[in-house]
Amino acid sequence: MPEGDTVHQAARRLHTALAGHTVTRSDLRVPKLATVDLTGRTVLDVTPRGKHLLTRFEGGLTLHSHLRMDGSWRVYAPGERWSGGPGHQIRAILGNAERTAVGYRLPVLELLRTADEDKAVGHLGPDLLGPDWDPERALGNLLAAPDRALGEALLDQRNLAGIGNVYKSELCFLLNVTPWLPVGDLPPETADRIPALAKKLLEANRDRSARTTTGRDRPGQRLYVYGRRARPCLRCGTPIRLGEQGDGSRSRPTYWCPTCQQGPTP
């Protein structure tokens, strides 16, 4: 499940493979881009912004992609077998003499003028792993809607960019509150911890292949609550519970410990 840390890893792989090289193969397999040909253009850089990827080309063009739940970018050497999924799931191919980047199941793929990137990412809050990170602004965004459930507020990329469903559940556990607790009911000292704790978790995992919030590397113990339904809490031993949380447009699986976390539940 792509979150801010894995998107930054994807951007780094793509930047290493594409930046500074001239595109020799271009195939964008979405209807609105079917006639676009980027061959002959040099890739300038690949930049992450929250959960978004911006691949910039000479001539002032940017290919904007978003992975959402199932998307991925894979990089292959010449002659290497492509293994990211069946061919009908490929949405983008960008190749040069040394590497080929293949985008699978990309729900968002659009070509913009680089000067117009804000149309795609200008709504985002401070990026937890980006140069624009501003903890005070992020906290202010979260507190601006005191009646909103904390889990929903953390997932809202307009508040702060980079948190997905995994980090939502893990952050709430580390804060000792349920994801359904209204933001305005957080003790001030707990609310103040959110920006620094969120940044710490994502930074700790930005270079890791296996995400962990516990500091443990053993399978089944890398995360405190996410994906651990009915398993004993690593802190108190109470079985972890699973519920659904959403803003009315989409529900997401949400994990919590009924002993360690205080607040309303489904």
Side-chain angles (χ1 to χ4, degrees), residues 36-49:
V36 171
D37 185 2
L38 296 170
T39 57
R41 294 181 184 266
T42 297
V43 176
L44 302 179
D45 64 77
V46 182
T47 297
R49 182 72 173 85

Side-chain angles (χ1 to χ4, degrees), residues 159-211:
N159 290 332
L160 66 172
I163 292 177
N165 212 35
V166 177
Y167 284 119
K168 175 198 77 173
S169 293
E170 295 296 293
L171 271 168
C172 289
F173 176 83
L174 291 168
L175 294 168
N176 301 315
V177 298
T178 70
W180 294 272
L181 183 74
V183 172
D185 290 350
L186 285 167
E189 62 275 14
T190 300
D192 289 346
R193 293 178 57 204
I194 294 174
L197 182 57
K199 185 172 180 61
K200 179 180 179 181
L201 290 180
L202 267 72
E203 283 191 332
N205 287 287
R206 67 186 304 169
D207 297 320
R208 295 181 60 92
S209 58
R211 180 184 293 138

